[in-house]
Amino acid sequence: MSLTLLLPLGLAALAALAIPLLLHLNRRQQQRAILFAALRWIAAPAQPRRRLRLEQWPLLLLRLLLLAAVALLLARPFGPGAGHGARDWVVVVPGVDAAAARARLSAGAAQWHWLQPGFPALDTVQPGPADARDVASLLRELDSELDPATRLHVIVPSVVRGLDGGAIALSRAVDWLSVDLAPAGPAAPRQTPVQKISLRRSGDAPGEVYLQAAVSAWNEDGEARYRLEREDAAAAIDAATAYVFWLGGDLPPPLQHWVEAGGTALLAQAATADFATLVRDGNGNALLKVRTLGQGRLLAFAAAPQPALLPALLDAQFPEWLLLSLRQNPLRLDQASAAAVQPVTGAPRGDAGLHDLGLSLALLIALLALAERALSFFYARRRA
């Protein structure tokens, strides 16, 4: 068991161990001389060699342990998490019916859990609503907490959200199974809400024609689900705006505040040194980058949106990967394509987290203190 100390300087209190050692040294050499006249002419016997002796060594041992525990508590000890044991685990992504999940896999005595924060048991709770934490991060967290020998099964619905666009690298092989969602019956016809995209520019920044073509491609099935509107750069952003395309330099204050409150903006020109790569082409070259700003996201092209610098603008897949990036990559899976996002093995095992040992150590100190007082009282009574 590895131990981590947040305040190693607290171990300096171990110097106090010298105090009970000094108190328990044999002090019988302190004798009082009594003179007898009859013994004045008798030669004094040879003095025996004095040896250091420890009195009441069980009490001394308790006091030493008590001081050592206090010093360790002052150093703020943390130990590794307890983990989840070595039995097989089956995690079910919310959206899959529990009965359908059990019918999909026969796992014997495996533990069944929902893939949600805390990994609640499948039969004890109902799955909550979709959580902000994504599927990929929860799988990585579980991989770090499970025993290395535990086999992991993951059952996902035919529609999976929360994947972060890349392969999920885990330290173990995963049995990845997909379950079709149960049909909900004939759906009543409904009007698909139109999402507004605000196009704002400053100067002669390039890229507008390619963004217009992308929005047109999103509506190519005849249903106008996206509406591109040109607006003034300093205008307020209304609640109906889904995304903002900014063709300019620095973000104007209204746009910056909107993104910080949770919006998503696509920038045509931006310094991307602190951005992470979100989309790459087949040769590994960056196409689109991303960074967070407050509660929202900023997406930026890796180069100026011109075919000479960014040939992917002319690719037929450009509208698709741009829309997926704006949507944070919701992916639809079926039985044939589930392997496309199946986790890969070979990643180093993550840190299972640290557990604060302060409470356990405080209880130990309390028990040692009680034992020390009881034993000290016993020795005092025996001397009396």
Side-chain angles (χ1 to χ4, degrees), residues 279-354:
V279 180
R280 298 180 183 271
D281 62 15
N283 298 321
N285 300 316
L287 298 178
L288 195 66
K289 297 194 172 186
V290 64
R291 70 177 289 260
T292 58
L293 180 63
Q295 300 297 318
R297 296 190 310 153
L298 291 176
L299 277 67
F301 290 112
Q306 301 174 357
L309 301 176
L310 207 64
L313 295 173
L314 304 178
D315 195 318
Q317 301 299 319
F318 165 63
E320 181 180 356
W321 60 253
L322 180 60
L323 182 58
L324 289 177
S325 300
L326 291 169
R327 289 178 172 178
Q328 299 190 9
N329 286 359
L331 301 179
R332 179 171 183 83
L333 305 179
D334 54 27
Q335 296 292 342
S337 62
V341 291
Q342 181 172 351
V344 297
T345 187
R349 189 165 186 267
D351 186 0
L354 296 177

Side-chain angles (χ1 to χ4, degrees), residues 199-209 211 246-249 267-269 304-306:
L199 176 64
R200 303 175 178 225
R201 62 181 309 140
S202 174
D204 298 328
E208 180 175 350
V209 63
L211 296 177
W246 171 243
L247 309 180
L267 314 180
Q269 294 180 342
Q306 301 174 357

Side-chain angles (χ1 to χ4, degrees), residues 26-196:
N26 191 331
R27 295 184 293 264
R28 293 179 183 174
Q29 62 270 24
Q30 299 177 359
Q31 301 174 354
R32 186 176 62 178
I34 299 178
L35 299 178
F36 289 90
L39 299 177
R40 181 176 301 177
W41 307 107
I42 300 176
Q47 296 293 329
R49 297 181 60 185
R50 295 177 180 175
R51 294 185 301 174
L52 293 179
R53 295 176 55 191
L54 294 176
E55 296 180 334
Q56 303 172 357
W57 65 264
L59 180 59
L60 171 62
L61 181 60
L62 273 178
R63 289 173 174 173
L64 291 176
L65 289 175
L66 179 60
L67 288 176
V70 171
L72 187 59
L73 180 64
L74 293 177
R76 295 292 308 278
F78 279 75
H84 290 299
R87 293 176 60 188
D88 278 18
W89 264 59
V90 181
V91 288
V92 181
V93 176
V96 176
D97 181 70
R102 291 191 180 276
R104 181 72 174 86
L105 175 67
S106 177
Q111 300 187 41
W112 290 74
H113 297 263
W114 291 109
L115 189 64
Q116 285 197 312
F119 309 108
L122 191 72
D123 297 328
T124 58
V125 299
Q126 293 296 322
D131 196 89
R133 300 178 63 179
D134 58 31
V135 171
S137 67
L138 284 169
L139 282 176
R140 296 185 186 105
E141 177 185 345
L142 181 60
D143 178 56
S144 69
E145 295 181 0
L146 289 178
D147 188 275
T150 299
R151 187 178 179 187
L152 179 61
H153 312 264
V154 181
I155 300 180
V156 300
S158 55
V159 176
V160 179
R161 296 180 183 272
L163 300 178
D164 49 16
I168 307 173
L170 304 178
S171 65
R172 72 192 70 229
V174 174
D175 185 17
W176 183 266
L177 303 171
S178 176
V179 174
D180 288 332
L181 293 176
R190 61 183 179 87
Q191 184 69 28
T192 302
V194 177
Q195 293 187 322
K196 173 186 170 183

Side-chain angles (χ1 to χ4, degrees), residues 5 10 79 228 243 255 283 366:
L5 302 179
L228 187 65
Y243 310 110
L255 178 54
N283 298 321

